Amino acid sequence: KTAMQIVEIMKVMEARHPVVMATSVSAEKSAEIQAALPQATYFEMARICAIQPSVPLAIRPGKLSILTAGTADLPVAEEAAVTAELCGFQVTRLWDVGVAGIHRLLSNRHVIDQSDVLIVAAGMEGALPSVVAGLADCPVVAVPTSVGYGASFNGLAPLLTMLNSCATGIG
């Protein structure tokens, strides 16, 4: 969509809902959107342009944590984190805790234990969601990313790993 198409959509949606989001928005497009809608905020890492209510939404119950295997997974994870926050959830972020440095994950076991839902983004071989699900007693949303090199096949390898996981509770 063009920036002006997004502006028109956001205007219509703003009249109906306190939170309006446009995803996969480049910095250049966000500048055009913000020129037309000064109340819009741009979240650069998440690539989200959003209109938020002047009064924050009530905090929703539950603890949502988002984990990434590596720093290359951050844009996907930030998109999930910002979306959840805009919807009223409190989010704990745990970045760069992949299986290549498993000690970083294990030293943050309390985050897993205290969470009601975990969103786990991973590229490469996509092993992190299975490891996390083996440690967690809550639902794990596995999110394959297309980052990586070698045989990751633009995200196909992590997707297949996640689909084939024998750990329970993965979606």
Side-chain angles (χ1 to χ4, degrees):
K1 293 178 178 49
T2 67
M4 288 307 112
Q5 288 171 326
I6 294 170
V7 166
E8 292 306 313
I9 292 167
M10 291 181 90
K11 283 180 182 177
V12 170
M13 292 181 75
E14 183 180 22
R16 295 182 170 101
H17 198 277
V19 176
V20 179
M21 293 186 325
T23 59
S24 299
V25 176
S26 68
E28 296 79 24
K29 251 185 215 178
S30 77
E32 291 180 62
I33 293 167
Q34 288 177 298
L37 297 170
Q39 70 273 35
T41 303
Y42 185 59
F43 300 88
E44 186 173 5
M45 177 69 75
R47 300 185 66 217
I48 291 176
C49 196
I51 297 173
Q52 304 171 68
S54 55
V55 177
L57 297 174
I59 300 296
R60 295 184 183 267
K63 294 186 180 218
L64 173 65
S65 297
I66 303 178
L67 293 73
T68 68
T71 55
D73 304 309
L74 284 175
V76 172
E78 262 306 301
E79 183 177 359
V82 169
T83 299
E85 288 172 337
L86 288 170
C87 292
F89 291 96
Q90 289 184 301
V91 175
T92 299
R93 291 164 168 84
L94 196 54
W95 299 158
D96 199 20
V97 292
V99 296
I102 196 77
H103 61 286
R104 294 188 299 268
L105 177 67
L106 297 177
S107 68
N108 285 285
R109 176 71 191 261
H110 63 283
V111 173
I112 295 168
D113 293 341
Q114 295 169 358
S115 297
D116 295 307
V117 175
L118 294 156
I119 298 174
V120 184
M124 297 297 291
E125 79 285 356
L128 184 61
S130 292
V131 172
V132 170
L135 297 170
D137 65 354
C138 65
V140 173
V141 179
V143 181
T145 67
S146 59
V147 298
Y149 48 85
S152 67
F153 298 108
N154 294 318
L156 180 60
L159 171 65
L160 294 175
T161 297
M162 293 172 194
L163 289 172
N164 287 309
S165 175
C166 62
T168 59
I170 291 184

